[in-house]
Amino acid sequence: MIRVVISPFNVLNFPEGGGHFWVYMQYALGLRQLGCDVYWLEQFRSCGSEEADRAMLSRFEARMERFGMGGNLLLAGSESTITRVSRPGSMPA
């Protein structure tokens, strides 16, 4: 199986941009339908409030889960380090 990592820009931090989300999700779903193992890699930028950040991440993870991508979500911090892998151990080093 071919593993594909897509790296959308500013989807997580722009939840009100529904069309912006679909620009990338259509690729993820299409690639998955073709038999690829698709991962979504996105940089998360804090808004400065830990509570608001948790709420934003929770909403985003729920949205991704609805499309079957919750287990293939990779979040990178501002220093380009992966801070969360929704399915630990699933990506090779």
Side-chain angles (χ1 to χ4, degrees), residues 12-13 15 44 47 51-61:
L12 195 159
N13 290 92
F44 174 70
C47 68
E51 184 177 331
D53 286 350
R54 271 196 302 267
M56 185 182 307
L57 285 168
S58 179
R59 284 190 305 268
F60 185 70
E61 287 174 336

Side-chain angles (χ1 to χ4, degrees), residues 2 5-7 9 21 23 30-31 38 47 51 56 69 77:
I2 297 173
V5 178
I6 63 168
S7 185
F9 175 74
F21 170 77
V23 166
L31 287 165
V38 182
C47 68
E51 184 177 331
M56 185 182 307
M69 293 294 297

Side-chain angles (χ1 to χ4, degrees), residues 71-93:
N72 291 37
L73 179 59
L74 307 167
L75 298 179
S78 59
E79 297 173 12
S80 297
T81 57
I82 295 178
T83 57
R84 182 182 307 188
V85 179
S86 293
R87 194 170 58 190
S90 61
M91 280 291 289

Side-chain angles (χ1 to χ4, degrees), residues 13-68:
N13 290 92
F14 185 45
E16 63 277 6
H20 185 63
F21 170 77
W22 277 106
V23 166
Y24 299 104
M25 183 54 81
Q26 68 179 340
Y27 296 122
L29 295 177
L31 287 165
R32 192 172 63 189
Q33 191 172 30
L34 290 171
C36 296
D37 186 19
V38 182
Y39 285 81
W40 185 288
L41 170 64
E42 180 145 357
Q43 182 179 21
F44 174 70
R45 292 180 312 282
S46 173
C47 68
S49 163
E50 191 173 322
E51 184 177 331
D53 286 350
R54 271 196 302 267
M56 185 182 307
L57 285 168
S58 179
R59 284 190 305 268
F60 185 70
E61 287 174 336
R63 187 180 201 188
M64 297 300 284
E65 194 65 45
R66 284 195 305 268
F67 297 99

